[in-house]
Amino acid sequence: MDNVNAALIDIRNINRAYELSTDNIDKMIDEISHAKVCTPIIGKFSSGKSALVNTLLGYSYKILQEDITPETAIPAEIVYSDSIEQVTIIGNNGAVCKTMDINEYRNYEADANTVKSARIQLNCRNLQSIPDIMLVDMPGFESGFEIHNKAIDNYLPQSLAYVVTIPADDMIIRSTIGNILKELCLHDMPLCIVITKYDKRNDDFEETLAYTKESLKRFVGERSLRFCNTSSFTGEVDDFMRFLLEIQQQSAKILAGKYRRLALGIVENTENYLITTLKGSQLSESELSEQEDKLHNQLATLDSSFSKQRHDFDMEISSCVEEIKNDVRSALESEESTLVAMAMNNQNISSQINQVVRNTVTVSIQNRLIPRVQKYVKKMAHTINENKIGDVNISFSFDTKDFQQKMTASVVAVAAGIVVGLPILGLLGAIVAGI
């Protein structure tokens, strides 16, 4: 990370000398200065999430409120600070609503309808051991499927792992947790199962745990899961702390790799500008004029080729949209009997529809849309490389994994958001708009 930061500073100085924009560089340097690996902690209400974090923090008083209502429950983002301890409240628009000290926050009641999250900066020993990790205490999932959406859409792109809490005195895997585990597996997200309230385990705990592991397979298949036993009553969090330390060891490498790739793109832009400028400085005025005419002709040819490829791609995407819509329609039709039964029992079917749509769209995008986009990008790159534009060096990079994650997250977020209060046809139309 130090090497990446030093390189960015060097490139920024060069860009300033040649009056090139440094906006992207400044933004990345600022982002690197506070980059964290996000680790959300999820579970049902009263599963011991907040108590687990309070115990981990090790204060003589509770930082996070426990047993709060869904109306006041917001994600609490907890990070290490080597100086001031404070809490920043972020509104749904992303702006800072207010800042407060820790004591004030302990009695603070947020309005979950207007507040997005609370960023808590603390100076404690355990957090000092994991300075590159941001723990996120998520509201319980019984508060509605909107929390499900936020937990995935807001935090998945920046997360290394998800922590799922299951209390030892209630180890039944309910659909609210099972469904989110299923969705996280679609994104190949590492998972850790933390058994909370270990002091309340019964005599048949090992048998119950074996049954729970078997139940989890319905949602995660044969996927490998990490299990930790914790108890806030006895202060037992060593197992969980070891897991976080493992993430900390991985996080430095992951963060450095991420920003190194991004920095290389900026370096290439500056390098190509300098190469082109040096070559241009060796030409006479008439040669420059001739070169300009040549470039105009080459660009016109290139633009014509791009236009044809864009048209072909638009046709493919239109077909892909219909395929995704049909996937969603088929998935919903296969759930018809379940939805009818729920409706007949006066149950709210929104959460079930939400889960079906999210999972179907995720799989469809990965299987249908992403391959088409990759094919299109490769064609564009080939066209660029085949038509050399004078002496201009053109670099064209495409991060498949990053694109897949962002595209999937954005379209799924649109699809899931429309579930609220709109008919299914409106939902399918929203998928088109998202793509």
Side-chain angles (χ1 to χ4, degrees):
M1 290 292 279
D2 289 340
N3 291 338
V4 172
N5 201 59
L8 286 171
I9 292 173
D10 286 343
I11 293 298
R12 181 172 64 183
N13 292 337
I14 294 173
N15 279 21
R16 285 175 176 171
Y18 286 88
E19 299 183 348
L20 301 175
S21 172
T22 63
D23 290 348
N24 288 339
I25 302 175
D26 293 334
K27 181 180 178 182
M28 192 178 300
I29 290 175
D30 178 65
E31 190 176 320
I32 286 175
S33 68
H34 56 261
K36 306 285 183 185
V37 174
C38 181
T39 307
I41 304 173
I42 62 177
K44 67 171 190 173
F45 268 104
S46 300
S47 65
K49 299 186 307 297
S50 299
L52 170 67
V53 176
N54 280 330
T55 305
L56 182 75
L57 296 176
Y59 285 75
S60 58
Y61 50 85
K62 295 178 180 179
I63 301 293
L64 303 178
Q65 298 180 42
E66 301 172 16
D67 301 322
I68 58 178
T69 63
E71 294 75 24
T72 61
I74 60 171
E77 303 174 352
I78 303 154
V79 296
Y80 172 70
S81 171
D82 58 4
S83 55
I84 188 172
E85 292 195 328
Q86 69 173 18
V87 180
T88 304
I89 305 299
I90 309 296
N92 283 332
N93 60 357
V96 175
C97 296
K98 63 184 299 186
T99 58
M100 62 184 73
D101 61 30
I102 301 301
N103 286 326
E104 183 181 355
Y105 175 72
R106 292 172 61 206
N107 299 311
Y108 173 72
E109 289 194 359
D111 181 353
N113 294 315
T114 60
V115 174
K116 179 181 179 182
S117 61
R119 173 65 69 94
I120 307 173
Q121 297 172 267
L122 297 172
N123 186 347
C124 69
R125 187 177 63 184
N126 277 345
L127 289 184
Q128 188 178 16
S129 301
I130 51 172
D132 295 323
I133 294 177
M134 177 176 73
L135 294 174
V136 185
D137 179 26
M138 292 298 302
F141 278 86
E142 279 74 9
S143 56
F145 67 87
E146 297 89 348
I147 294 298
H148 176 148
N149 295 350
K150 288 181 179 180
I152 300 293
D153 302 330
N154 292 355
Y155 292 102
L156 181 65
Q158 55 181 320
S159 298
L160 173 63
Y162 270 72
V163 174
V164 181
T165 56
I166 301 176
D169 58 349
D170 183 11
M171 298 178 66
I172 298 174
I173 306 300
R174 291 173 173 79
S175 60
T176 48
I177 293 299
N179 287 333
I180 197 170
L181 286 171
K182 184 187 296 184
E183 183 167 357
L184 290 172
C185 287
L186 293 176
H187 295 280
D188 197 27
M189 179 59 57
L191 300 169
C192 176
I193 308 297
V194 175
I195 306 299
T196 58
K197 306 180 184 180
Y198 188 61
D199 56 287
K200 294 185 178 181
R201 66 190 185 281
N202 56 33
D203 295 336
D204 300 325
F205 173 76
E206 293 301 329
E207 183 179 335
T208 304
L209 179 61
Y211 178 78
T212 298
K213 290 180 178 180
E214 197 62 33
S215 298
L216 286 169
K217 290 182 180 180
R218 290 192 296 123
F219 303 101
V220 303
E222 296 299 323
R223 185 184 187 82
S224 176
L225 299 175
R226 172 72 176 269
F227 284 83
C228 300
N229 295 328
T230 65
S231 170
S232 299
F233 180 75
T234 62
E236 185 179 344
V237 291
D238 291 349
D239 204 10
F240 182 49
M241 189 64 201
R242 280 192 290 271
F243 167 73
L244 295 177
L245 288 171
E246 290 173 12
I247 294 181
Q248 171 64 33
Q249 291 174 350
Q250 298 177 53
S251 64
K253 180 180 178 180
I254 290 173
L255 289 172
K258 170 186 176 181
Y259 288 106
R260 181 180 181 276
R261 289 193 301 271
L262 294 173
L264 281 175
I266 293 176
V267 171
E268 286 181 349
N269 288 338
T270 301
E271 180 185 25
N272 291 335
Y273 173 81
L274 293 176
I275 291 172
T276 304
T277 300
L278 285 170
K279 289 182 177 179
S281 67
Q282 300 168 4
L283 301 177
S284 66
E285 187 173 343
S286 61
E287 288 173 326
L288 283 172
S289 179
E290 182 182 340
Q291 182 79 334
E292 184 178 6
D293 291 338
K294 181 181 177 181
L295 287 173
H296 278 302
N297 292 331
Q298 288 178 316
L299 287 171
T301 302
L302 194 62
D303 188 56
S304 175
S305 177
F306 282 167
S307 295
K308 181 181 183 306
Q309 290 181 19
R310 280 196 297 268
H311 176 266
D312 293 343
F313 182 62
D314 286 342
M315 297 296 290
E316 278 207 56
I317 288 301
S318 296
S319 172
C320 182
V321 167
E322 292 305 313
E323 291 172 9
I324 295 176
K325 288 166 61 177
N326 288 334
D327 288 344
V328 174
R329 182 179 288 108
S330 297
L332 289 169
E333 286 174 353
S334 68
E335 291 289 315
E336 180 181 2
S337 58
T338 300
L339 295 172
V340 169
M342 292 175 66
M344 293 294 288
N345 289 319
N346 294 321
Q347 293 177 270
N348 189 332
I349 64 173
S350 296
S351 292
Q352 184 69 15
I353 292 176
N354 179 60
Q355 189 59 47
V356 171
V357 170
R358 292 183 67 91
N359 288 352
T360 305
V361 172
T362 297
V363 173
S364 293
I365 286 176
Q366 292 174 352
N367 294 340
R368 300 185 185 280
L369 177 62
I370 300 298
R372 285 179 166 94
V373 174
Q374 290 175 331
K375 179 181 176 183
Y376 171 64
V377 171
K378 287 179 180 178
K379 282 185 177 180
M380 296 286 276
H382 179 71
T383 301
I384 290 174
N385 295 329
E386 200 174 50
N387 296 272
K388 184 173 174 61
I389 310 300
D391 292 323
V392 178
N393 290 275
I394 299 176
S395 61
F396 191 88
S397 60
F398 178 69
D399 190 327
T400 303
K401 185 175 181 180
D402 182 63
F403 172 81
Q404 178 170 325
Q405 191 175 59
K406 289 181 178 178
M407 171 61 81
T408 304
S410 61
V411 180
V412 171
V414 171
I418 300 300
V419 171
V420 186
L422 287 184
I424 299 304
L425 289 179
L427 170 69
L428 297 174
I431 297 175
V432 180
I435 294 175

